[in-house]
Each structure stands twice: as structure tokens, then as C-alpha cells.
Amino acid sequence: MNRRSTLAAALTLTTGLALAGCGGDSAPKLEVADAYMPQPVSQQMAGAYFTVKNNGDTADKLTSVTSNLAKDISIHKTVGTKMERVESLPIPANGTLQLGHGGNHLMFMGLKSKPTKDDVVTIRLHFAHADPIRVAVPVKAADYQPKH
Ligand SMILES: [Cu+2]
């Protein structure tokens, strides 16, 4: 029994894939929660945050975001006090990708309209593996801080 589980662990580590027989399909199972957009100051730019939970045994990546609100939406991470545009953000297997104030975030440039508090902005998240997910993002007050 020990030998078997050690072997299983080794295989999981080296291939990064789920083993057949323990649940079957190994696709990422993504769930988006806690989405919000602080009310933007101007029509030039807005940010948005959310959490992507992966209940699957396969890692994925957030690769792009589309929305009617803006054509130019990029994915940023924060390094020290500066933000940096990235091509993707990793979503670990059985893990969570967290976007939040002062960390990873979406950046919308050149908004077609200026959303105000209580509006809902629809975005579509695109992933390397999983199907796109449509997310209704509520617009909160500019100084909104989520409670944990
Ligand atoms: Cu940014």
C-alpha cells in the first residue's frame, strides 16, 4: 500500500497530471467568486478583481479577458509598488488564483462608458485549457474593500 501511494505521488509530481482511476477526468474545474470593480474615477481606466478556484487536478492559466466595456483589457501583477503587464496568470491544480487590491488585477483602458456603483459589468475570462467563463462583476464604491 505504501509502495503504491509513493509511486502514485511520484507520478503525479513528474507528470503534473492526475492519475486515471482517481476520479477520472483531469480537466481544470474552475469557479470564479468575489468579483468586483471599484467605481472608476474617469472613463480612462478601471480595475477589477476576483478569485478563480480550481477544483481540478490540472493547472490552468488565465490568458485573456474580454468585455463590452473596453477593447483594451490587460492582466497585471504588482511587483513592489509597480505593476507589470503579464501574458497570463497561473491557476494551480487544486488551488486558487487571487486578484486583489495591491496585487494581481485586470486593467481596462479607454472605457466606452463610465460604470457607477451598483452597475454590473459583464466580462469573459479566457483560459489556456478550460472553457471561457462569463462573470457578472458588480461595481462597488471607489474605496470598497472586500471583507475576509
Ligand atoms: Cu494595472
Side-chain angles (χ1 to χ4, degrees), residues 76 83 105 107:
H76 287 190
M83 56 187 194
H105 57 277
M107 196 88 152

Side-chain angles (χ1 to χ4, degrees), residues 83-108:
M83 56 187 194
E84 230 169 62
R85 187 181 181 144
V86 292
E87 289 306 308
S88 65
L89 287 172
I91 307 166
N94 298 298
T96 302
L97 166 65
Q98 181 101 43
L99 283 73
H101 189 78
N104 302 321
H105 57 277
L106 299 184
M107 196 88 152
F108 300 67

Side-chain angles (χ1 to χ4, degrees), residues 40-46 70 72 107-114:
V41 182
S42 76
Q43 214 168 309
Q44 282 184 316
M45 168 171 105
D72 180 0
M107 196 88 152
F108 300 67
M109 303 297 285
L111 313 182
K112 286 175 192 160
S113 60
K114 182 171 149 344

Side-chain angles (χ1 to χ4, degrees), residues 15-18 26-30 52 54-62 89-96 127-130:
T15 64
L17 293 173
S26 64
K29 293 187 191 76
L30 306 183
V52 184
N54 185 355
N55 299 311
D57 296 326
T58 302
D60 207 339
K61 282 181 203 172
L62 174 68
L89 287 172
I91 307 166
N94 298 298
T96 302
F127 304 97
H129 301 294

Side-chain angles (χ1 to χ4, degrees), residues 13-25:
L13 280 176
T14 47
T15 64
L17 293 173
L19 291 170
C22 57
D25 92 275

